[in-house]
Amino acid sequence: MVQLIVGKKGKGKTKCLLDKVNTEVKNVLGSVAFLDKNTKHMYELNNKIRLIVVPEFMISNSDEFIGFVSGIISQDHDLQQMYFDSFLKISCLEGQDISATVDKLEKLSEKFNIDFVLSLSMDESELPEGVKSKVVISL
């Protein structure tokens, strides 16, 4: 399943995402990964959550991002949840249509039984129609 937390910059999406991941990590049996653009939130995450700083891996487009996520999935068979803060930035999709990438994440979710939670700096009204049903929090 893919879930979206949406809202304009500065609305509190990251706080919602951090609260959600720190609550969920207590209930999951497998592992949890948190992908971010920097280490700023490292000390706000439970120590059972794996923080991955995406820009360190020189990803330059959304296809490379999906390949990167697939690589993470392939090396951790216990992976149960992945959280993406600043999704548009880390997936190189700023100013682009996110539909195809979200569809690929949905397919990965179904195939490997992993939940994805994404925070997007977009208003719900700006989202493509195909992904609006995935919004769980709109700020």
Side-chain angles (χ1 to χ4, degrees):
M1 144 181 74
V2 175
Q3 298 178 330
L4 304 178
I5 298 174
V6 298
K8 292 284 188 194
K9 189 170 175 59
K11 290 284 187 179
K13 296 176 302 299
T14 298
K15 182 175 179 351
C16 289
L17 195 65
L18 289 167
D19 290 347
K20 188 169 177 61
V21 69
N22 284 321
T23 301
E24 288 293 319
V25 77
K26 298 170 187 162
N27 304 324
V28 296
L29 299 172
S31 55
V32 177
F34 190 93
L35 280 66
D36 205 347
K37 64 183 183 228
N38 56 40
T39 59
K40 183 177 170 186
H41 305 292
M42 181 186 334
Y43 299 109
E44 297 171 64
L45 290 169
N46 182 302
N47 65 354
K48 294 180 183 161
I49 299 165
R50 179 170 175 209
L51 174 65
I52 300 169
V53 180
V54 177
E56 292 178 358
F57 296 93
M58 298 169 284
I59 291 163
S60 56
N61 61 51
S62 59
D63 287 336
E64 288 180 6
F65 179 74
I66 290 294
F68 180 69
V69 170
S70 298
I72 294 167
I73 293 168
S74 74
Q75 62 84 39
D76 186 350
H77 297 289
D78 293 327
L79 191 61
Q80 211 170 335
Q81 295 179 334
M82 293 184 82
Y83 292 80
F84 302 154
D85 194 20
S86 306
F87 175 71
L88 297 174
K89 185 176 284 302
I90 65 173
S91 63
C92 305
L93 283 169
E94 290 177 299
Q96 298 178 42
D97 186 359
I98 63 168
S99 301
T101 303
V102 171
D103 287 344
K104 288 177 184 175
L105 288 173
E106 190 66 59
K107 287 179 179 141
L108 286 170
S109 172
E110 290 167 12
K111 183 167 186 159
F112 298 103
N113 199 27
I114 296 170
D115 294 333
F116 295 100
V117 183
L118 292 53
S119 79
L120 296 176
S121 289
M122 288 176 90
D123 205 71
E124 188 171 0
S125 61
E126 300 172 319
L127 291 172
E129 281 304 316
V131 301
K132 284 186 178 179
S133 63
K134 299 180 184 317
V135 173
V136 290
I137 299 172
S138 181
L139 302 169

